[in-house]
Amino acid sequence: MPFSELFDNEFKQRNRGHFSAIVRVAFADGKINQQEQEFLDKIASTLQISDEEYKEILSDPWKHPINPPYLYTQRLERLYDLARMVHVDHHLGDLQEVMLRRMGLALGFTPGNVDFIVSKALSLVDKKVELDTFLFEMENMNK
């Protein structure tokens, strides 16, 4: 196996795990509504999830490893990606903060600070900041 395929394969596994985690969050209330379905379709496309993988993950999202981020910076990077996806065209309308809050909890942010973190993340994404600025602002928001 060529060296470059190792990175490609790891990237695809991470995306599948990331998508699986998002599907689990969407299933948290026992069903996926139309808005969540449209959001999942959009995320699957962004994460380059094939139609076959999409169907497989939707049929049993608990079958796939999530590869949860354990470093704070990695959690912030995923939050940045999710906030951008949620915010790009206000696809979820009023539910964007609710959905992002649920995803923030799934990423490992605590219930005590997730509202503040999501609010700050959405305000930064609204300003169209780059990842480096987002990370700096999020890591230093209490200083």
Side-chain angles (χ1 to χ4, degrees):
M1 173 185 294
F3 186 69
S4 62
E5 283 184 28
L6 290 174
F7 290 109
D8 204 29
N9 193 25
E10 182 179 320
F11 179 74
K12 288 178 182 180
Q13 283 181 327
R14 187 192 65 153
N15 281 352
R16 279 192 299 269
H18 191 37
F19 183 69
S20 178
I22 293 168
V23 170
R24 288 181 195 194
V25 171
F27 268 125
D29 60 357
K31 62 184 185 313
I32 294 179
N33 65 35
Q34 183 63 34
Q35 288 178 315
E36 290 170 330
Q37 182 68 50
E38 291 171 3
F39 182 64
L40 290 174
D41 293 346
K42 182 178 176 180
I43 289 175
S45 174
T46 303
L47 294 176
Q48 300 173 351
I49 303 295
S50 71
D51 289 339
E52 183 179 305
E53 290 170 325
Y54 182 86
K55 291 174 187 172
E56 182 183 332
I57 291 170
L58 278 181
S59 69
D60 188 6
W62 292 269
K63 175 181 166 185
H64 302 275
I66 291 180
N67 305 322
Y70 54 89
L71 296 176
Y72 187 67
T73 302
Q74 291 174 328
R75 283 188 271 157
L76 288 176
E77 288 172 358
R78 285 201 187 170
L79 181 64
Y80 176 74
D81 291 340
L82 291 169
R84 285 181 38 223
M85 284 186 258
V86 167
H87 192 269
V88 163
D89 54 2
H90 298 282
H91 189 71
L92 293 176
D94 294 338
L95 293 176
Q96 77 177 17
E97 278 194 59
V98 173
M99 184 64 127
L100 197 55
R101 195 172 302 119
R102 287 169 57 190
M103 291 179 194
L105 289 169
L107 285 173
F109 296 108
T110 63
N113 68 4
V114 74
D115 290 339
F116 183 64
I117 288 172
V118 165
S119 177
K120 179 73 171 180
L122 286 173
S123 74
L124 289 170
V125 169
D126 189 42
K127 295 175 184 174
K128 298 178 180 11
V129 299
E130 296 294 323
L131 177 61
D132 292 339
T133 303
F134 180 87
L135 292 174
F136 177 81
E137 291 292 328
M138 294 299 288
E139 289 172 350
N140 295 291
M141 68 182 157
N142 291 327
K143 296 180 181 176

